[in-house]
Amino acid sequence: MSSTFTKSTARNIFYGGSVFFFLLFVALTFDTMSTLPKQDNSANLTESVVRGKKIWETRNCIGCHTLLGEGAYFAPELGNVYKRRGPEFIKAWIQSQPTGTPGRRQMPQFHLKDGELEDLVQFLKYSSEIDTKNWPPNIEG
């Protein structure tokens, strides 16, 4: 019994494999696109959250902190800080930062107004409500 691998067999394997993987790609794309809206928390996106994100970006918070696993690892992950500490703690912590002690690792004082502070807290609240399937692991202490 000898097996022969002809050009037509090779072509059929190539086309069959191509169709299979194309259909697999389409199925996985459909699954992702139908699952994401249930997890992304976009229903709770408000103007306050958008302004808070702008504060997050313009103050370069991600230069020290991570959020949902993205950013620097100099300071704590803030993906669930709202759930862990609550809004009043976050506001008090940000407002209580000293204006600078040379040689000491600390958060800068951004002198945020009350409205800006509330917007930033709303952004952190929004971020904490995104269903990340518990990634990244974020346990304090």
Side-chain angles (χ1 to χ4, degrees):
M1 186 157 56
S2 87
S3 69
T4 58
F5 197 71
T6 64
K7 283 186 178 183
S8 75
T9 304
R11 184 174 42 248
N12 290 340
I13 290 172
F14 172 76
Y15 287 132
S18 295
V19 168
F20 171 77
F21 284 108
F22 176 75
L23 292 174
L24 180 64
F25 174 75
V26 168
L28 291 174
T29 300
F30 177 77
D31 178 62
T32 299
M33 297 308 287
S34 63
T35 303
L36 280 180
K38 300 170 193 165
Q39 298 176 337
D40 70 1
N41 196 28
S42 61
N44 295 325
L45 191 58
T46 64
E47 288 298 318
S48 180
V49 171
V50 171
R51 289 190 305 267
K53 183 177 187 295
K54 181 81 170 173
I55 293 166
W56 173 267
E57 292 170 347
T58 58
R59 301 316 191 278
N60 192 29
C61 298
I62 205 163
C64 294
H65 293 277
T66 55
L67 184 64
L68 306 178
E70 294 293 322
Y73 290 93
F74 186 72
E77 159 72 38
L78 297 180
N80 68 359
V81 70
Y82 187 89
K83 291 178 182 176
R84 284 186 287 130
R85 297 299 187 126
E88 297 310 313
F89 175 87
I90 295 168
K91 291 176 189 177
W93 178 260
I94 292 172
Q95 289 175 326
S96 70
Q97 296 305 306
T99 54
T101 305
R104 184 165 178 251
R105 178 177 138 169
Q106 65 190 30
M107 190 172 124
Q109 175 55 264
F110 292 113
H111 304 288
L112 297 176
K113 298 175 187 153
D114 289 341
E116 293 173 320
L117 196 54
E118 181 61 33
D119 291 341
L120 183 58
V121 168
Q122 288 304 308
F123 171 66
L124 292 172
K125 178 181 186 285
Y126 171 83
S127 298
S128 74
E129 295 169 345
I130 295 172
D131 182 3
T132 63
K133 304 294 186 204
N134 297 319
W135 185 260
N138 190 4
I139 300 167
E140 186 174 24

